[in-house]
Amino acid sequence: MNCSKILVINPGSTSTKIAVYQGCESVFLKTLRHSSEQLAQFENISAQFEFRKETILSELIQADIEIDDFDAIVGRGGLVKPIESGVYEVNEPLKADLRKGVLGEHASNLGGLIADDIAKTIPNARAFIADPVVVDELEDVARVTGHPDMPRRSVFHALNQKAVAKNYAKAIDRKYEDINVIVAHLGGGISVGAHRKGKVIDVNNALDGYGPFSPERAGTLPTGALIDMCFSGKHTYEEMRKLVNGKGGMVAHLGTNQAHEVEAKAVAGDEHNMLILTAMAYQIAKTIGGCATVLKGEVDGIVITGGIAHDKTVIAYIKAMVDWIAPMKVYPGEDEMKALADNALSVLSGEVTCKVYQ
């Protein structure tokens, strides 16, 4: 058994999750909260680098965790250039793009930078990122839209989708690279991907594009009505961006992004809450059906994951619509920390070859 010691770093907008793994076992897990007052002193996310790094190191010291014997530090991958799925060793081109935020600024951009900086202080330690949201394995035909200036982009929950797809493959005694599976990640954003023989050949843009609406995101909208709203003079550019991502979906319909609250009201008899909840489930199932056509009906399984996978009403609705396609397996919640640790461990054990970012 590989007993490598791994530090996992997952920066979010107002928190930083850290974990220590000894081989496959988690021995320490902590969410470090950052107040708005603490973050307000920084001009941008890049400027938070030293603050977040020192907060992590201080927490490890307080927990009596030896820092100088880590074999690897793995950080959440950020908005770098579109890349294939896999584990990437942090190098200079990767660090440059994480600093620039070539596809946007997000706290996850700090993951690889902090991992590299800590690893440099430890003899023989290696720094990695794995399966960032910009993983792009789309087939060319899936990129084409009705206008050449607006091609489809691959932005989705790559880390968790890949992890649960591999878990499903193991559960049916198959290799991920040998099966076709549809994975639906149901969280604040919703992504539904068609995985064919180890590659996500089609997936909706879960950040600001299209697909099912979610607790916070509007998903696919009627284009004409959206254009009219943009030029109505009633909304600023920033407000329209928020309408699509942040104040869309359940927030727009019901004033909340808490799916479990919506389900509780729906089950208690609130007809409008039930309508919105089942409409979301309807759109998820419809997208799963679309992925089944992409895979030409050759589907070995449908996997549902993410926080909303705990919602029995949503799961029952989806199952009733898609059960004819393939067996459906539910992995509620998500475990990004373990997924990151497992990816690092796969490289340290020699099971997987590390990829080079260029």
Side-chain angles (χ1 to χ4, degrees):
M1 179 181 290
N2 192 306
C3 291
S4 298
K5 187 176 177 182
I6 301 167
L7 173 63
V8 182
I9 300 171
N10 187 353
S13 56
T14 60
S15 68
T16 304
K17 295 179 183 178
I18 58 173
V20 176
Y21 279 77
Q22 199 74 52
C24 296
E25 298 299 319
S26 172
V27 296
F28 179 78
L29 178 65
K30 189 71 178 285
T31 298
L32 311 176
R33 307 287 180 185
H34 311 308
S35 69
S36 54
E37 290 77 17
Q38 286 176 312
L39 298 180
Q41 61 185 304
F42 302 105
E43 182 179 357
N44 51 42
I45 289 174
S46 297
Q48 298 174 17
F49 172 83
E50 284 294 337
F51 163 72
R52 297 225 191 196
K53 186 190 78 171
E54 292 304 322
T55 302
I56 291 167
L57 293 174
S58 175
E59 190 66 35
L60 293 173
I61 291 170
Q62 288 183 38
D64 293 324
I65 293 172
E66 291 290 337
I67 297 171
D68 59 2
D69 60 353
F70 282 110
D71 298 289
I73 322 290
V74 57
R76 181 71 189 270
L79 297 175
V80 293
K81 291 180 291 191
I83 55 177
E84 285 188 348
S85 172
V87 186
Y88 290 78
E89 192 143 16
V90 180
N91 59 13
E92 291 305 317
L94 178 58
K95 287 193 289 184
D97 282 354
L98 285 171
R99 292 191 191 100
K100 285 188 292 186
V102 290
L103 287 182
E105 191 175 51
H106 189 270
S108 60
N109 291 7
L110 295 172
L113 295 172
I114 296 173
D116 178 72
D117 205 63
I118 295 176
K120 281 182 176 178
T121 68
I122 305 169
N124 302 316
R126 301 171 70 182
F128 306 111
I129 67 164
D131 286 340
V133 296
V134 293
V135 164
D136 187 345
E137 299 169 333
L138 297 185
E139 292 189 324
D140 288 342
V141 69
R143 302 179 190 279
V144 181
T145 71
H147 198 286
D149 291 343
M150 292 181 279
R152 292 181 67 202
R153 292 172 55 213
S154 178
V155 182
F156 72 110
H157 305 90
L159 181 66
N160 196 45
Q161 279 216 22
K162 290 278 185 175
V164 295
K166 291 172 184 176
N167 287 342
Y168 179 75
K170 287 180 183 177
I172 61 173
D173 293 322
R174 302 277 298 280
K175 290 184 178 180
Y176 170 57
E177 293 76 15
D178 294 334
I179 67 171
N180 293 341
V181 62
I182 299 168
V183 181
H185 177 107
L186 316 184
I190 291 174
S191 62
V192 184
H195 298 234
R196 187 181 70 193
K197 303 293 190 286
K199 291 186 181 294
V200 184
I201 62 171
D202 202 341
V203 66
N204 65 295
N205 182 333
L207 183 63
D208 64 359
Y210 39 84
F213 73 81
S214 74
E216 298 179 344
R217 295 168 197 176
T220 301
L221 294 170
T223 307
L226 183 62
I227 293 171
D228 290 344
M229 187 177 287
C230 287
F231 288 91
S232 67
K234 298 177 182 179
H235 306 281
T236 65
Y237 171 82
E238 289 75 18
E239 287 171 343
M240 289 304 301
R241 294 297 301 182
K242 273 291 185 183
L243 180 148
V244 170
N245 182 355
K247 293 185 177 180
M250 283 185 177
V251 172
H253 283 288
L254 303 171
T256 181
N257 63 0
Q258 299 300 307
H260 66 279
E261 293 179 2
V262 174
E263 185 197 24
K265 290 179 180 178
V267 171
D270 188 306
E271 293 183 2
H272 187 55
N273 275 263
M274 181 61 81
L275 173 64
I276 301 307
L277 190 69
T278 53
M280 183 179 72
Y282 173 91
Q283 291 190 8
I284 294 164
K286 186 176 177 181
T287 308
I288 290 171
C291 285
T293 66
V294 168
L295 297 172
K296 301 176 182 177
E298 298 175 0
V299 185
D300 296 295
I302 297 168
V303 178
I304 312 295
T305 184
I308 301 175
H310 290 286
D311 188 324
K312 294 180 180 178
T313 303
V314 170
I315 294 302
Y317 195 100
I318 294 171
K319 185 175 177 62
M321 287 186 68
V322 306
D323 204 32
W324 59 274
I325 298 172
M328 190 174 103
K329 177 72 174 177
V330 181
Y331 293 96
E334 59 184 284
D335 195 346
E336 293 177 339
M337 307 305 279
K338 179 169 173 47
L340 287 167
D342 286 348
N343 273 286
L345 189 62
S346 69
V347 172
L348 297 178
S349 65
E351 179 185 345
V352 168
T353 301
C354 205
K355 295 185 177 180
V356 178
Y357 183 89
Q358 297 176 327

